């Protein structure tokens, strides 16, 4: 019998984007699947068999077929994104049924609940290409990593990308201050300290302060400087699922939380002034970061003379570190005075720093980043 269970079956719901399709007559299984859909923020379509309306089966981003319904969908058009779901952990014929309906996965509840919630949430959020995620870290203190991270994020947002700037250094003073938004409404890192499992990408984005057309996840002015690694992993994963670009200002010390961030980066930029002592310090940072992050590149900053005058050539800095050269940071006159007045790095669209960042965003996807 092919028919629809009454569950939000308005014409608008028929065209709802990101709605998974559930096919089952098993009441207990349906209750579980509806509960998991609710946890993932999705409102599914529910049928007893292959939907009668042409194209509904093919168009659904995810199809959850109950064990009881496998025989009824056996003749349906083969497609990706079909999951065969049931409760019987010891069913010897489940794999045969999965092959017959062309299922990508076989899932037994309750063991597979978290995996299924994540999968449903992906389609509910319209998950596509993950964000290009770039980490910036100083080879030594005062190298200019936070300045570059802010400028990259400001430039990315100005060029129309969905952009999130993440302050992963709890002792760095707060990137919201550098952006002139320390009093802006929105959540900071301590609010996510209890996060476990999956964090919704849309909910994360909407909860954060919006400054200069980008979202910022920074630290508050309180004493709490510890967020568990599990929470860091959940928050960064949610940020990446939203697409666009994510820029992370990294601390030079690598603890468990920093390691979670490094594991989700597409590439890292190590900012190093062109001085021998800075190169020596940066080598130690690079050796630790490189154990987790495969794609680490060096950005040569200005030396004490400004613009690298009297310092090592950029190519020599990269050679000594054994890293590819991502570029040389230009000197931007009046940068400190602009920051003191609340203007963030990279805000001057025609300034040297903004031009450097624009060139970076144009170049990096073609070089194998996360886009």
């Amino acid at each position: 019998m092919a028919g629809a269970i009454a569950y939000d079956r308005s014409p608008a719901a028929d065209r709802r984007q990101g709605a998974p399709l559930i096919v089952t007559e098993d009441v207990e299984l349906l209750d579980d699947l509806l509960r998991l859909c609710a946890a993932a923020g999705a409102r599914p379509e529910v049928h007893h068999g292959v939907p009668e309306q042409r194209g509904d089966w093919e168009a659904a981003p995810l199809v959850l077929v109950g064990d009881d319904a496998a025989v009824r969908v056996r003749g349906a058009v083969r497609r990706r994104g079909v999951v065969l779901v049931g409760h019987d952990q010891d069913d010897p014929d489940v794999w045969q049924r999965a092959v017959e309906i062309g299922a990508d996965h076989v899932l037994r509840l309750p063991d597979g609940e978290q995996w299924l919630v994540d999968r449903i949430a992906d389609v509910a959020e319209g998950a596509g290409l993950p964000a290009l995620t770039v980490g910036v870290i100083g080879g030594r203190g005062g190298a200019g990593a936070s300045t570059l991270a802010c400028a990259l994020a400001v430039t990315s947002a100005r060029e129309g990308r969905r952009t999130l700037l993440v302050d992963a250094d709890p002792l760095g003073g707060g990137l919201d201050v550098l952006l002139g938004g320390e009093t802006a409404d929105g959540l900071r890192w301590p609010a996510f300290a209890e996060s476990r499992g999956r964090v919704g990408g849309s909910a994360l984005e909407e909860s954060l302060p919006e400054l200069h057309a980008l979202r910022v996840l920074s630290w508050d002015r309180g004493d709490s400087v510890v967020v568990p690694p599990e929470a860091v992993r959940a928050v960064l994963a949610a940020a990446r699922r939203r697409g666009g670009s994510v820029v992370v200002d990294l601390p030079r010390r690598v603890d468990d939380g920093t390691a979670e961030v490094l594991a989700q980066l597409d590439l890292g930029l190590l900012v190093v002034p062109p001085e021998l002592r800075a190169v020596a310090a940066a080598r130690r940072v690079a050796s630790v970061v490189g154990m987790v992050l495969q794609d680490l590149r060096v950005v040569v900053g200005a030396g004490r003379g400004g613009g690298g005058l009297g310092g090592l050539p950029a190519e020599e800095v990269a050679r000594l570190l054994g890293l590819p050269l991502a570029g040389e940071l230009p000197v931007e006159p009046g940068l400190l005075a602009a920051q003191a007045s609340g203007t963030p790095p990279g805000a001057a669209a025609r300034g040297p720093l903004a031009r450097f960042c624009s060139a970076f965003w144009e170049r990096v996807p073609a070089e194998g980043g996360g886009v």
Side-chain angles (χ1 to χ4, degrees):
M1 169 178 136
I5 297 175
Y7 185 82
D8 192 21
R9 291 291 295 168
S10 66
D14 287 337
R15 296 185 294 273
R16 203 166 46 233
Q17 205 169 19
L21 173 66
I22 296 175
V23 182
T24 185
E25 286 185 302
D26 184 328
V27 175
E28 182 181 356
L29 178 61
L30 178 59
D31 285 344
D32 282 340
L33 293 178
L34 292 178
R35 171 176 55 83
L36 297 178
C37 285
R43 302 176 67 189
E45 300 288 339
V46 182
H47 290 260
H48 292 148
V50 178
E52 293 179 344
Q53 186 167 328
R54 184 178 180 86
D56 278 5
W57 169 270
E58 296 90 336
L62 181 68
V63 179
L64 308 177
V65 178
D67 278 340
D68 65 292
V71 67
R72 298 193 294 277
V73 303
R74 193 177 294 164
V77 174
R78 293 298 177 102
R79 48 152 295 164
R80 296 184 63 85
V82 175
V83 182
L84 183 61
V85 190
H87 288 117
D88 188 349
Q89 303 283 347
D90 301 314
D91 184 351
D93 300 321
V94 64
W95 294 104
Q96 180 179 341
R97 293 197 300 277
V99 171
E100 290 173 349
I101 67 173
D104 297 332
H105 297 276
V106 173
L107 202 67
R108 304 288 91 178
L109 300 180
D111 292 353
E113 285 193 356
Q114 187 57 58
W115 181 92
L116 188 54
V117 168
D118 289 349
R119 187 75 181 272
I120 296 169
D122 280 342
V123 301
E125 291 183 357
L129 288 174
L132 174 60
T133 307
V134 179
V136 186
I137 186 169
R140 66 156 167 80
S146 294
T147 297
L148 177 57
C150 283
L152 285 170
V154 168
T155 304
S156 172
R158 185 173 52 244
E159 294 178 352
R161 300 181 190 88
R162 172 184 280 118
T163 304
L164 173 62
L165 176 61
V166 178
D167 185 355
D169 186 358
L171 303 180
L175 289 186
D176 54 351
V177 176
L178 192 56
L179 290 166
E182 61 268 30
T183 61
D185 292 336
L187 299 182
R188 268 68 173 179
W189 264 118
F192 298 97
E194 301 302 320
S195 297
R196 298 293 186 274
R198 183 188 179 98
V199 174
S202 298
L204 172 68
E205 184 177 35
E206 293 169 3
S207 72
L208 299 177
E210 184 174 7
L211 302 167
H212 306 282
L214 59 92
R215 298 285 178 167
V216 183
L217 177 54
S218 189
W219 296 85
D220 61 15
R221 310 285 87 83
D223 295 331
S224 176
V225 294
V226 177
V227 174
E230 298 83 358
V232 174
R233 182 190 314 128
V235 169
L236 263 292
R240 294 199 59 185
R241 286 195 303 271
R242 294 294 288 161
S245 59
V246 175
V247 181
V248 186
D249 185 26
L250 293 160
R252 288 190 298 128
R253 56 174 180 75
V254 178
D255 56 16
D256 290 343
T258 307
E260 290 290 350
V261 177
L262 291 171
Q264 297 198 51
L265 296 181
D266 293 303
L267 64 96
L269 299 176
L270 179 65
V271 184
V272 185
E275 305 159 4
L276 280 176
R277 289 186 63 190
V279 171
R283 185 181 288 117
R284 291 191 290 271
V285 175
S287 66
V288 176
V289 171
M291 292 192 307
V292 182
L293 178 61
Q294 292 185 343
D295 190 352
L296 181 63
R297 313 177 193 183
V298 62
V299 174
V300 177
R304 288 192 175 89
L309 296 176
L312 297 169
E315 292 78 9
E316 180 66 6
V317 173
R319 187 191 69 79
L320 289 172
L321 291 171
L323 296 172
L325 179 63
E328 295 181 73
L329 272 182
V331 174
E332 182 150 335
L335 181 62
L336 292 179
Q339 291 178 28
S341 66
T343 302
R350 297 184 179 180
L353 188 54
R355 292 200 302 270
F356 174 90
C357 294
S358 290
F360 171 83
W361 290 121
E362 289 176 3
R363 183 174 68 247
V364 72
E367 292 177 354
V371 171

